[in-house]
Amino acid sequence: MNNKFPKFVWFNNFGLSCSLTFLLLGLFLGSVGLSWVINSFLILIALITIAPAIILWRIRWWLRRDLVGDKCPVCSYGFTGFNKTECQCPNCGELLKIEGGRFHRIIPSNTIDIDAVEVSSNQLED
Ligand SMILES: [Zn+2]
């Protein structure tokens, strides 16, 4: 028994017979008038290969548009959030609203927001 490359030959014969079977099946269906079966199969294969690329591109576009990275206006801790949503700073717990690519504090309507200025006692005496 001469078994030099039995598996290699078997795979080649199998691949050749498989592709010949598909070719003959395609020619038969085309001659009968069922080319729409082949066309729909090819369209299905094209959709299966193209759909993941389109989905990944859409997810990247959505993240680029809606993901905002900024610093908290209270404690300057940098983090990310989604645009046009409300979130809480993970560092200080301040409620924040994300608009226009920036973080803003959520302040009740009757609140006056002030910045404290430190004044040394020497300046007051002068
Ligand atoms: Zn904060």
mmCIF file of all heavy atoms in Angstrom, residues 71-79 88-96, ligand 1:
data_model
loop_
_atom_site.group_PDB
_atom_site.id
_atom_site.type_symbol
_atom_site.label_atom_id
_atom_site.label_comp_id
_atom_site.label_asym_id
_atom_site.label_seq_id
_atom_site.Cartn_x
_atom_site.Cartn_y
_atom_site.Cartn_z
ATOM 1 N N LYS A 71 -13.889 67.629 32.035
ATOM 2 C CA LYS A 71 -13.593 67.641 33.464
ATOM 3 C C LYS A 71 -14.793 68.163 34.239
ATOM 4 O O LYS A 71 -15.543 69.001 33.752
ATOM 5 C CB LYS A 71 -12.378 68.550 33.729
ATOM 6 C CG LYS A 71 -11.103 67.988 33.184
ATOM 7 C CD LYS A 71 -9.938 68.868 33.531
ATOM 8 C CE LYS A 71 -8.656 68.234 33.005
ATOM 9 N NZ LYS A 71 -7.492 69.056 33.309
ATOM 10 N N CYS A 72 -14.952 67.649 35.452
ATOM 11 C CA CYS A 72 -16.033 68.101 36.330
ATOM 12 C C CYS A 72 -15.797 69.572 36.670
ATOM 13 O O CYS A 72 -14.684 69.953 37.040
ATOM 14 C CB CYS A 72 -16.038 67.244 37.597
ATOM 15 S SG CYS A 72 -17.181 67.800 38.863
ATOM 16 N N PRO A 73 -16.832 70.440 36.567
ATOM 17 C CA PRO A 73 -16.624 71.856 36.887
ATOM 18 C C PRO A 73 -16.391 72.117 38.371
ATOM 19 O O PRO A 73 -15.925 73.185 38.743
ATOM 20 C CB PRO A 73 -17.917 72.523 36.402
ATOM 21 C CG PRO A 73 -18.903 71.452 36.241
ATOM 22 C CD PRO A 73 -18.153 70.172 36.034
ATOM 23 N N VAL A 74 -16.667 71.149 39.228
ATOM 24 C CA VAL A 74 -16.491 71.345 40.666
ATOM 25 C C VAL A 74 -15.109 70.872 41.114
ATOM 26 O O VAL A 74 -14.363 71.606 41.753
ATOM 27 C CB VAL A 74 -17.600 70.599 41.449
ATOM 28 C CG1 VAL A 74 -17.383 70.735 42.939
ATOM 29 C CG2 VAL A 74 -18.964 71.127 41.046
ATOM 30 N N CYS A 75 -14.744 69.645 40.743
ATOM 31 C CA CYS A 75 -13.506 69.074 41.277
ATOM 32 C C CYS A 75 -12.451 68.824 40.196
ATOM 33 O O CYS A 75 -11.372 68.322 40.502
ATOM 34 C CB CYS A 75 -13.805 67.770 42.017
ATOM 35 S SG CYS A 75 -14.385 66.441 40.951
ATOM 36 N N SER A 76 -12.750 69.127 38.941
ATOM 37 C CA SER A 76 -11.820 68.972 37.818
ATOM 38 C C SER A 76 -11.399 67.524 37.577
ATOM 39 O O SER A 76 -10.311 67.259 37.074
ATOM 40 C CB SER A 76 -10.570 69.847 37.999
ATOM 41 O OG SER A 76 -10.935 71.198 38.056
ATOM 42 N N TYR A 77 -12.235 66.580 37.956
ATOM 43 C CA TYR A 77 -11.951 65.166 37.695
ATOM 44 C C TYR A 77 -12.404 64.844 36.268
ATOM 45 O O TYR A 77 -13.541 65.099 35.896
ATOM 46 C CB TYR A 77 -12.702 64.299 38.712
ATOM 47 C CG TYR A 77 -12.513 62.813 38.518
ATOM 48 C CD1 TYR A 77 -11.318 62.206 38.882
ATOM 49 C CD2 TYR A 77 -13.520 62.035 37.971
ATOM 50 C CE1 TYR A 77 -11.146 60.852 38.703
ATOM 51 C CE2 TYR A 77 -13.352 60.677 37.792
ATOM 52 C CZ TYR A 77 -12.146 60.091 38.164
ATOM 53 O OH TYR A 77 -11.978 58.746 37.985
ATOM 54 N N GLY A 78 -11.524 64.302 35.456
ATOM 55 C CA GLY A 78 -11.832 64.009 34.067
ATOM 56 C C GLY A 78 -12.499 62.660 33.898
ATOM 57 O O GLY A 78 -12.015 61.665 34.423
ATOM 58 N N PHE A 79 -13.632 62.639 33.197
ATOM 59 C CA PHE A 79 -14.310 61.383 32.883
ATOM 60 C C PHE A 79 -15.158 61.583 31.639
ATOM 61 O O PHE A 79 -15.212 62.678 31.082
ATOM 62 C CB PHE A 79 -15.138 60.873 34.071
ATOM 63 C CG PHE A 79 -16.284 61.754 34.481
ATOM 64 C CD1 PHE A 79 -17.570 61.453 34.087
ATOM 65 C CD2 PHE A 79 -16.074 62.882 35.243
ATOM 66 C CE1 PHE A 79 -18.628 62.258 34.450
ATOM 67 C CE2 PHE A 79 -17.120 63.689 35.618
ATOM 68 C CZ PHE A 79 -18.401 63.384 35.226
ATOM 69 N N GLN A 88 -23.643 61.823 37.232
ATOM 70 C CA GLN A 88 -23.101 62.208 38.526
ATOM 71 C C GLN A 88 -21.591 62.033 38.478
ATOM 72 O O GLN A 88 -21.095 61.022 37.960
ATOM 73 C CB GLN A 88 -23.710 61.313 39.604
ATOM 74 C CG GLN A 88 -23.473 61.794 41.001
ATOM 75 C CD GLN A 88 -24.284 60.995 42.005
ATOM 76 O OE1 GLN A 88 -24.847 59.952 41.690
ATOM 77 N NE2 GLN A 88 -24.327 61.470 43.229
ATOM 78 N N CYS A 89 -20.885 63.014 38.981
ATOM 79 C CA CYS A 89 -19.420 62.927 38.985
ATOM 80 C C CYS A 89 -18.992 61.749 39.863
ATOM 81 O O CYS A 89 -19.420 61.642 41.012
ATOM 82 C CB CYS A 89 -18.824 64.226 39.521
ATOM 83 S SG CYS A 89 -17.037 64.171 39.685
ATOM 84 N N PRO A 90 -18.169 60.845 39.349
ATOM 85 C CA PRO A 90 -17.748 59.695 40.159
ATOM 86 C C PRO A 90 -16.807 60.089 41.296
ATOM 87 O O PRO A 90 -16.632 59.333 42.236
ATOM 88 C CB PRO A 90 -17.043 58.785 39.147
ATOM 89 C CG PRO A 90 -16.719 59.637 37.990
ATOM 90 C CD PRO A 90 -17.668 60.783 37.979
ATOM 91 N N ASN A 91 -16.225 61.286 41.237
ATOM 92 C CA ASN A 91 -15.286 61.693 42.281
ATOM 93 C C ASN A 91 -15.974 62.449 43.414
ATOM 94 O O ASN A 91 -15.833 62.099 44.574
ATOM 95 C CB ASN A 91 -14.188 62.554 41.649
ATOM 96 C CG ASN A 91 -13.042 62.794 42.591
ATOM 97 O OD1 ASN A 91 -12.697 61.923 43.383
ATOM 98 N ND2 ASN A 91 -12.452 63.966 42.516
ATOM 99 N N CYS A 92 -16.770 63.498 43.093
ATOM 100 C CA CYS A 92 -17.364 64.330 44.143
ATOM 101 C C CYS A 92 -18.857 64.128 44.284
ATOM 102 O O CYS A 92 -19.452 64.626 45.239
ATOM 103 C CB CYS A 92 -17.061 65.807 43.887
ATOM 104 S SG CYS A 92 -17.850 66.495 42.425
ATOM 105 N N GLY A 93 -19.521 63.443 43.343
ATOM 106 C CA GLY A 93 -20.945 63.174 43.455
ATOM 107 C C GLY A 93 -21.833 64.315 42.977
ATOM 108 O O GLY A 93 -23.039 64.265 43.168
ATOM 109 N N GLU A 94 -21.286 65.358 42.379
ATOM 110 C CA GLU A 94 -22.081 66.483 41.881
ATOM 111 C C GLU A 94 -22.919 66.035 40.689
ATOM 112 O O GLU A 94 -22.433 65.325 39.810
ATOM 113 C CB GLU A 94 -21.126 67.619 41.467
ATOM 114 C CG GLU A 94 -21.805 68.835 40.926
ATOM 115 C CD GLU A 94 -22.519 69.651 42.010
ATOM 116 O OE1 GLU A 94 -22.167 69.522 43.186
ATOM 117 O OE2 GLU A 94 -23.439 70.399 41.645
ATOM 118 N N LEU A 95 -24.202 66.475 40.647
ATOM 119 C CA LEU A 95 -25.051 66.169 39.499
ATOM 120 C C LEU A 95 -24.671 67.081 38.345
ATOM 121 O O LEU A 95 -24.582 68.301 38.511
ATOM 122 C CB LEU A 95 -26.523 66.365 39.864
ATOM 123 C CG LEU A 95 -27.125 65.287 40.763
ATOM 124 C CD1 LEU A 95 -28.548 65.663 41.134
ATOM 125 C CD2 LEU A 95 -27.106 63.949 40.058
ATOM 126 N N LEU A 96 -24.461 66.495 37.187
ATOM 127 C CA LEU A 96 -23.983 67.247 36.028
ATOM 128 C C LEU A 96 -24.887 66.980 34.842
ATOM 129 O O LEU A 96 -25.477 65.914 34.708
ATOM 130 C CB LEU A 96 -22.549 66.841 35.669
ATOM 131 C CG LEU A 96 -21.505 67.019 36.760
ATOM 132 C CD1 LEU A 96 -20.197 66.394 36.339
ATOM 133 C CD2 LEU A 96 -21.310 68.483 37.069
HETATM 134 ZN ZN ZN B 1 -16.591 66.269 40.532
#
